[in-house]
Amino acid sequence: MKTGRPVASLENKFWDRVSLPEEVDGCWQWRGFKRPDGYGILRVNNKDRRGNFRAHLMALELAGVPCDGDLIHHVCRNRACVNPDHLQPMAWSDHSRMHANEYWNAV
C-alpha cells in the first residue's frame, strides 16, 4: 500500500495555478512556473501523462479546443494568459505574416 501525498487531478493541478481576474473578459494569469520567455509550464507526473506542458496549450485541451499542430496566438499579447478566449489557433505562416506586417507598420 502506497502512502504519501494524494495525486491531484490534471485539471485541479491546472486550476491551482491560475489567477482569475475580476473582469469577465480579462486574462487568466498563470501563477505557476514560467519559462524565461514568459510562457507558463505545467509539470505532469502521473500514470497517464508525464512531462512539462505549456500551460496555454493545456488550457485549450481542458476547454476541448483542438490545436492540431497549429501555433497558438495570444490575442491579448500576454504569454502568461491561459484564457481560451484569448488563444487563437493559427497556421505558422499566418502568424509570421501577421507579425511581419506589425513590424513594418511600426517602423
Side-chain angles (χ1 to χ4, degrees), residues 23-106:
E23 310 86 37
V24 175
D25 59 351
C27 289
W28 299 358
Q29 195 68 21
W30 182 255
R31 295 181 304 124
F33 176 79
K34 288 187 211 105
R35 295 183 344 181
D37 61 6
Y39 288 103
I41 297 293
L42 178 65
R43 175 170 282 152
V44 177
N45 188 11
N46 61 35
K47 65 179 180 170
D48 299 322
R49 292 176 96 163
R50 223 175 263 278
N52 296 325
F53 299 90
R54 289 190 179 186
H56 62 285
L57 297 178
M58 190 62 66
L60 288 175
E61 182 179 317
L62 292 173
V65 177
C67 298
D68 299 328
D70 287 338
L71 179 135
I72 305 302
H73 173 66
H74 284 80
V75 178
C76 58
R77 306 296 179 147
N78 176 2
R79 291 178 175 176
C81 178
V82 294
N83 183 342
D85 291 337
H86 294 190
L87 305 173
Q88 177 183 7
M90 97 177 13
W92 284 86
S93 58
D94 294 336
H95 192 259
S96 296
R97 189 172 25 262
M98 181 184 68
H99 281 289
N101 289 338
E102 288 174 0
Y103 172 78
W104 289 110
N105 289 332

